[in-house]
Amino acid sequence: MADASASDLNDFLGVRPVPAWRRWGKWVLVAIGVVLLILLVASFFKPAPKASYATDVAQKGTLTVTVSATGKLAPTNRVDVGSEVSGLVSKVLVDVNDHVVKGQPIALIDPSRFRDSVNQSQAQLASQQAAVAQAQATLAQSSAQLKRLEEVSRLSGGRVPAKTEMEQAIADRDRAIANVRAAQANVAAARATLSSNEYNFVRAVIRSPVNGVVLARQVEPGQTVAASFNTPTLFVIAEDLTRMKLEVSIDEADVGEVRAGQKASFTVDAFPGETFPADITRVNLGSNLSAQSTTTTSTATTNQVVSYSATLAVSNPDIQLRPGMTATAEITTTQKTNVLLVPNGALRFRPTTPAAGSQGGVASVFGPPRLNRGGPRTANAGRGATQTLYVLDADGNIKPVEVRTGDTNGTLTEITGGDLKPGQKVVTGELSAAAAAAKPAVTVGTTRVR
């Protein structure tokens, strides 16, 4: 009866009835808030999750330190064959890739002009030789005339011949001697001219100066060769392709470790996956800036990369390698056996989560900040440096270990001192939660020989 009266009163006053969900909704919201607060507080008191780490095993092995350099293959002895005389090339007797021997004709310049010069020089020599004979005959006549006058003067007691006649005879004899000497000099000059023309005639046949292979031919029949000012290059001949050289440029940061006698290996793009051996024969003392003018500005010099040339001896018995190929060489500067090695990642690792056994919950949230939260740092892996790395014990906890580093090849570093023992697991990284769930125990890369 009371409910009916209340309903009639509400209808009379125009008050709408309140739905049931509105009356209970605020309590539902309060209940949800309480549950969320409980979950949040529980998360504060939840122990910190145990981190999972990627590890590698510290073990003894061989450390090989190499220096990389690039360069091009070239013949040990390359000869540019040219022409000493000018003229029309009438024949070309060899082509690229032909094998030639020393003294073999490889091209011919039209010899007609040179043959005519030789014939002319021979005729000139014969003419000068005849002039010598004529001058000698004149000398004999003048000498005989002078002797007769001297005999007459002796028999006549000096009364005859006249003094002027005697002086004339002496002058004739002296002129005849001078004419003989001049004629003999002309003969020598004619012989020199003949020899020069004969030399040019012989040089009209271009011959190979060495035993080898023709790498390039830069002349064709009918081409005119002009050797007036410089010697044109007609052929390029490699003396012996079974022994080649590799000329590489070494960065100034690495040249201090490179010396003659060291072993090296190189690869070429023409034979991917194949490695060829080589030996260093020379490291130049001068850099690529040595030949530049001293007037080069300091700014331009600063912007250039300084490098030093080195020559490597290469054996090529099968003629597999060819001149001009670009090669990437790995020069072995250091090789140590049976040394303790760790990956460089172990020297760079710094933990970013609390180690196992540290206090979690509220203390971990509101406690003092942890050290080394800045992520991985670059390790100072210089020779003789003291470093800190972390090892994983049997319980899965990490602990720091002080070590002293030696040589490094960029991937592995030698450990020369400290508390690290062979077989210990060194930490190289921290796994994410997803990686740890998929693969809780990870050991990365245990190969040690490069």
Side-chain angles (χ1 to χ4, degrees):
M1 190 69 180
D3 293 339
S5 299
S7 177
D8 294 338
L9 181 60
N10 290 336
D11 292 338
F12 176 76
L13 296 175
V15 179
R16 294 181 181 181
V18 178
W21 64 271
R22 283 191 176 182
R23 293 196 301 269
W24 299 101
K26 62 180 180 180
W27 300 108
V28 173
L29 293 176
V30 171
I32 292 175
V34 171
V35 172
L36 293 176
L37 181 60
I38 293 173
L39 293 176
L40 181 60
V41 173
S43 66
F44 286 163
F45 288 90
K46 182 179 179 181
K50 187 175 182 179
S52 297
Y53 302 96
T55 62
D56 202 344
V57 178
Q59 63 183 22
K60 291 189 175 183
T62 300
L63 177 69
T64 301
V65 181
T66 60
V67 171
S68 297
T70 59
K72 291 186 179 295
L73 288 165
T76 302
N77 184 23
R78 164 181 157 162
V79 181
D80 294 335
V81 181
S83 173
E84 297 183 50
V85 296
S86 302
L88 183 69
V89 178
S90 59
K91 291 182 180 180
V92 177
L93 305 176
V94 296
D95 204 347
V96 177
N97 294 341
D98 287 351
H99 289 266
V100 295
V101 297
K102 185 176 182 179
Q104 175 183 339
I106 55 179
L108 177 64
I109 295 178
D110 187 5
S112 302
R113 180 168 59 89
F114 305 106
R115 185 182 300 110
D116 293 342
S117 297
V118 170
N119 293 336
Q120 183 179 1
S121 299
Q122 289 175 341
Q124 185 67 25
L125 176 61
S127 174
Q128 296 299 332
Q129 289 173 338
V132 169
Q134 184 177 1
Q136 288 175 341
T138 302
L139 174 60
Q141 181 181 9
S142 301
S143 298
Q145 179 65 20
L146 178 60
K147 287 181 179 180
R148 286 195 296 270
L149 293 178
E150 289 175 344
E151 181 65 17
V152 171
S153 176
R154 185 183 65 79
L155 295 176
S156 65
R159 292 190 293 272
V160 293
K163 182 178 180 181
T164 56
E165 189 176 359
M166 183 64 71
E167 291 175 350
Q168 181 66 38
I170 294 174
D172 291 341
R173 193 270 316 268
D174 293 341
R175 278 195 295 270
I177 293 175
N179 290 336
V180 170
R181 291 175 178 173
Q184 290 174 342
N186 290 335
V187 168
R191 283 201 177 102
T193 302
L194 175 61
S195 176
S196 177
N197 291 332
E198 288 177 340
Y199 180 86
N200 291 336
F201 180 70
V202 171
R203 289 299 180 269
V205 179
I206 301 174
R207 301 178 184 272
S208 173
V210 294
N211 300 331
V213 179
V214 179
L215 298 183
R217 188 188 83 175
Q218 302 175 6
V219 64
E220 297 294 337
Q223 181 177 342
T224 300
V225 176
S228 301
F229 300 102
N230 55 7
T231 302
T233 299
L234 307 182
F235 301 91
V236 178
I237 299 178
E239 184 173 3
D240 184 11
L241 290 182
T242 61
R243 297 290 302 175
M244 300 183 67
K245 63 180 179 181
L246 174 59
E247 298 175 338
V248 298
S249 297
I250 301 175
D251 189 83
E252 62 175 326
D254 300 325
V255 72
E257 303 295 330
V258 180
R259 296 179 300 276
Q262 290 176 337
K263 299 293 183 180
S265 62
F266 66 93
T267 59
V268 293
D269 293 338
F271 304 102
E274 189 169 355
T275 303
F276 302 89
D279 298 307
I280 296 183
T281 58
R282 185 184 66 194
V283 180
N284 291 356
L285 296 177
S287 69
N288 58 334
L289 302 181
S290 299
Q292 294 186 357
S293 174
T294 56
T295 59
T296 304
T297 62
S298 59
T299 302
T301 303
T302 302
N303 294 333
Q304 292 184 358
V305 177
V306 179
S307 61
Y308 294 82
S309 297
T311 303
L312 288 73
V314 178
S315 178
N316 188 30
D318 300 329
I319 318 297
Q320 189 176 13
L321 301 171
R322 302 186 182 187
M325 284 185 171
T326 301
T328 302
E330 294 289 335
I331 302 170
T332 302
T333 59
T334 302
Q335 189 168 24
K336 297 182 177 180
T337 59
N338 197 30
V339 294
L340 184 60
L341 301 173
V342 296
N344 285 1
L347 299 173
R348 292 191 297 266
F349 171 75
R350 295 295 180 269
T352 57
T353 58
S358 63
Q359 186 178 4
V362 176
S364 64
V365 175
F366 300 103
R370 295 186 300 270
L371 298 177
N372 299 327
R373 294 181 58 89
R377 299 182 300 177
T378 301
N380 178 17
R383 187 184 293 111
T386 299
Q387 298 291 314
T388 300
L389 52 77
Y390 293 83
V391 298
L392 193 68
D393 59 17
D395 298 330
N397 301 323
I398 62 172
K399 63 178 182 179
V401 175
E402 296 290 333
V403 296
R404 187 167 61 253
T405 57
D407 292 318
T408 180
N409 61 8
T411 303
L412 302 173
T413 297
E414 174 193 11
I415 302 300
T416 59
D419 299 329
L420 186 66
K421 300 296 187 295
Q424 286 186 304
K425 292 183 178 181
V426 293
V427 180
T428 59
E430 187 172 345
L431 298 176
S432 63
K439 199 170 185 179
V442 178
T443 300
V444 181
T446 58
T447 301
R448 284 289 178 266
V449 179
R450 183 177 177 181

